[in-house]
Amino acid sequence: MADVQKDVPFKSAQVEALVVIKIVKHCSASFPTTATGSLVGMDNDGVLEITNAFPFPTVDVANADGHQNDVSSLAAAAPRAKANIAYQNEMIKHLKEVNVDANNVGWYTSATMGNFVSLNFIENQYHYQRDNDKTVALVHDVSRSSQGALSLRAFRLSPEFMAAYKEGKFTTESLQKSKLSFKDILVEVPVIVHDSHLLTTFLHQMPTLPETAEVPLPTSLNDISRDPARLPANPSFDALDLSIDPFLEKTCDLLLDSIEAHYTDLNNHQYYQRQLTREQFKITQWQTKRKAENAARVAAKQAPLPEDEWQRLFKLPQEPSRLEGMLNARQVEQYSKQVDGFTAAITSKMFAVRGNLLPE
């Protein structure tokens, strides 16, 4: 991973607090349908500053026959749709007129329980990253954020995967040569939420009640650093709840679905291997028979028959793309990390009450 980070054109993504609020509001309002939008900003000394965002037009449900899957599929593919590309260019043109940062730096999308690694996600990011290497995809997990902690992550496609996707070959042979695995598909970029100095000063005044009637205002940021905000002791009894987290159950169900999809892809590849072995055996038999016929014809002083006719008579099956399997493996890894994070808190609670649960 460290070698991959060297090839990244920027070290982190700095997102303005107003942009975060816009993304959260749009994704929450569109839930459970996938929400997408465009990001604008600029690159500043290795930091990708995201200063504004605007959503893509919503999908017309009437034209999608009212089916939820069709609506979600159209919404997920919105960033590379021709109509939305024209809409994005028009919006950037208007932003330039009002002297606002108008450089496209990527796009954002919503997710549910970390379920964002898909072919649509890869195609959208490839569409942006192909034209501009300094672009990023922000993923906001609505389900995780509903627990009270903001879930906002930034991803890019690795240079190795960009080259492989441009070539369009994801066969076993090509993957072995390039040594590309599911871990090399995405590169996560650290996200930094940035507030203005005025807002930071205001937030430091809010947590506690003033000790005196007159509150001395800080003269500089150094005063705020020397006198940090003292948060009140707000007791929370949620930590004492011993019930299993419902998000853990949902994540486990999604993990099992991904594992089943992995076995389906594996069975398809094994079927291809059996078909290939069967056809190669037929070709070997035909070549052996043709060599025996040519040996008899040479002995009879006759012209030998061509031995490459098998290319016209037999057709080898085409190997299915391994891209879906790689994406599914990457999604399984994502779910596994989430399960590990959920079980850490639950296991600590179980050990805390273990003494009272066991009989003496």
Side-chain angles (χ1 to χ4, degrees):
M1 183 61 69
D3 297 336
V4 177
Q5 289 289 349
K6 294 179 181 179
D7 300 330
V8 177
F10 50 88
K11 299 178 181 179
S12 61
Q14 179 177 290
V15 188
E16 292 293 331
L18 182 59
V19 177
V20 175
I21 295 175
K22 286 182 177 180
I23 294 175
V24 171
K25 183 179 180 181
H26 180 212
C27 295
S28 301
S30 302
F31 185 81
T33 305
T34 304
T36 54
S38 180
L39 303 173
V40 293
M42 62 181 297
D43 176 47
N44 185 14
D45 294 334
V47 178
L48 191 66
E49 298 180 355
I50 302 173
T51 57
N52 202 351
F54 55 88
F56 289 120
T58 56
V59 180
D60 189 0
V61 180
N63 295 334
D65 298 332
H67 198 278
Q68 184 65 33
N69 292 335
D70 295 337
V71 175
S72 298
S73 299
L74 292 174
R80 63 181 189 278
K82 291 184 179 180
N84 288 335
I85 293 175
Y87 173 80
Q88 175 181 275
N89 295 334
E90 190 69 17
M91 283 290 296
I92 291 177
K93 178 182 177 181
H94 292 313
L95 290 175
K96 287 182 180 179
E97 295 176 356
V98 295
N99 198 22
V100 178
D101 291 340
N103 301 317
N104 181 258
V105 292
W107 62 291
Y108 70 85
T109 182
S110 62
T112 305
M113 300 303 300
N115 185 15
F116 65 90
V117 184
S118 63
L119 191 58
N120 273 327
F121 183 87
I122 299 299
E123 290 178 352
N124 290 338
Q125 181 58 24
Y126 179 80
H127 167 74
Y128 280 92
Q129 200 167 326
R130 175 188 56 190
D131 301 329
N132 182 11
D133 193 43
K134 296 180 180 180
T135 54
V136 72
L138 288 182
V139 179
H140 172 60
D141 197 323
V142 181
S143 300
R144 294 293 301 275
S145 299
S146 64
Q147 293 181 299
L150 176 65
S151 176
L152 187 66
R153 305 170 67 185
F155 294 93
R156 300 182 73 257
L157 297 179
S158 66
E160 296 82 2
F161 184 81
M162 285 288 294
Y165 194 85
K166 182 179 181 180
E167 188 177 358
K169 292 183 179 179
F170 288 94
T171 60
T172 304
E173 182 181 359
S174 62
L175 293 179
Q176 288 177 346
K177 288 183 179 179
S178 61
K179 297 182 180 179
L180 188 68
S181 67
F182 67 92
K183 295 182 179 180
D184 303 324
I185 298 177
L186 297 174
V187 178
E188 186 168 3
V189 181
V191 176
I192 302 173
V193 179
H194 178 260
D195 293 326
S196 64
H197 296 325
L198 182 62
L199 180 58
T200 302
T201 304
F202 174 72
L203 291 176
H204 277 77
Q205 307 284 328
M206 291 182 63
T208 57
L209 296 174
E211 298 178 356
T212 58
E214 296 182 359
V215 179
L217 298 177
T219 59
S220 64
L221 291 177
N222 292 330
D223 293 345
I224 299 177
S225 301
R226 287 194 299 267
D227 187 15
R230 287 164 289 181
L231 298 176
N234 294 324
S236 175
F237 298 101
D238 294 338
L240 302 178
D241 187 8
L242 299 180
S243 62
I244 302 298
D245 196 331
F247 289 95
L248 175 60
E249 299 178 8
K250 181 61 176 177
T251 304
C252 290
D253 292 337
L254 294 173
L255 177 59
L256 291 176
D257 293 339
S258 296
I259 293 175
E260 290 180 1
H262 171 72
Y263 277 112
T264 301
D265 182 75
L266 183 62
N267 291 333
N268 293 335
H269 188 71
Q270 290 176 348
Y271 175 76
Y272 157 75
Q273 292 287 355
R274 291 193 297 269
Q275 289 288 102
L276 180 63
T277 304
R278 190 179 298 112
E279 291 297 323
Q280 288 177 342
F281 180 72
K282 291 180 181 178
I283 293 173
T284 303
Q285 283 185 327
W286 185 90
Q287 289 176 337
T288 303
K289 182 179 178 181
R290 178 54 60 91
K291 287 180 180 180
E293 291 178 356
N294 285 340
R297 291 176 69 88
V298 170
K301 297 182 179 181
Q302 296 178 357
L305 298 174
E307 296 185 359
D308 57 351
E309 286 186 358
W310 67 269
Q311 299 178 359
R312 180 175 56 86
L313 299 175
F314 300 94
K315 185 178 180 181
L316 293 177
Q318 186 177 3
E319 181 179 358
S321 175
R322 307 305 301 273
L323 178 59
E324 287 288 346
M326 293 177 62
L327 295 178
N328 190 67
R330 179 64 176 81
Q331 187 63 67
V332 169
E333 182 190 32
Q334 174 69 24
Y335 288 145
S336 301
K337 291 181 178 179
Q338 291 181 187
V339 171
D340 183 42
F342 283 129
T343 54
I346 296 176
T347 304
S348 61
K349 293 179 183 179
M350 294 296 103
F351 273 103
V353 299
R354 182 173 180 268
N356 294 330
L357 295 178
L358 292 177
E360 298 181 357

